[in-house]
Amino acid sequence: GGSDEEAEMPLSKLAKQRERLQQEIAALEESNIGDRPWMLKGETNVKSRPFNSLLEAEMQFEHAQKVAPAVTEEATEEIEVM
C-alpha cells in the first residue's frame, strides 16, 4: 500500500521540522502537567507547603513605584522658576 512507500522515503525538511516541533510540544506539555513546587502553584496555604519553607524560598516580585527624579541644579532651577 501507500503507507509502505511513505515509510521508506526520506523525510523532507518540512516534515523533519514538524516532527521536531511535535516532540518539543510533547515535552513542554509533559513538563506543564508534572508536579510543581508549592511556590509555583499559585495561591497556597500553610497545609500545602513544608514547615518554614517560606523562610528558605527566594521570592522575586516587582514594585509598581515611580523612580524618584534626579535632583540636579537644572531641575532645581526649573522648580524655582515656576
Side-chain angles (χ1 to χ4, degrees):
S3 62
D4 291 338
E5 292 174 10
E6 290 176 6
E8 293 176 9
M9 293 181 60
L11 296 175
S12 66
K13 284 185 177 183
L14 179 60
K16 289 178 184 178
Q17 184 180 15
R18 284 185 179 173
E19 187 175 309
R20 276 190 305 235
L21 189 58
Q22 288 298 325
Q23 291 173 352
E24 186 177 342
I25 289 171
L28 289 172
E29 287 177 345
E30 186 64 32
S31 68
N32 209 12
I33 292 172
D35 196 27
R36 297 181 183 172
W38 68 267
M39 295 170 278
L40 301 177
K41 289 184 179 180
E43 291 187 25
T44 187
N45 59 27
V46 71
K47 293 178 183 177
S48 63
R49 62 180 174 83
F51 185 73
N52 281 342
S53 60
L54 187 57
L55 297 173
E56 298 168 1
E58 188 171 320
M59 308 301 277
Q60 297 178 358
F61 52 92
E62 296 179 10
H63 294 278
Q65 195 174 31
K66 290 185 177 181
V67 178
V71 179
T72 61
E73 288 185 33
E74 294 85 19
T76 306
E77 288 176 13
E78 286 179 17
I79 293 172
E80 289 178 357
V81 170
M82 290 182 186

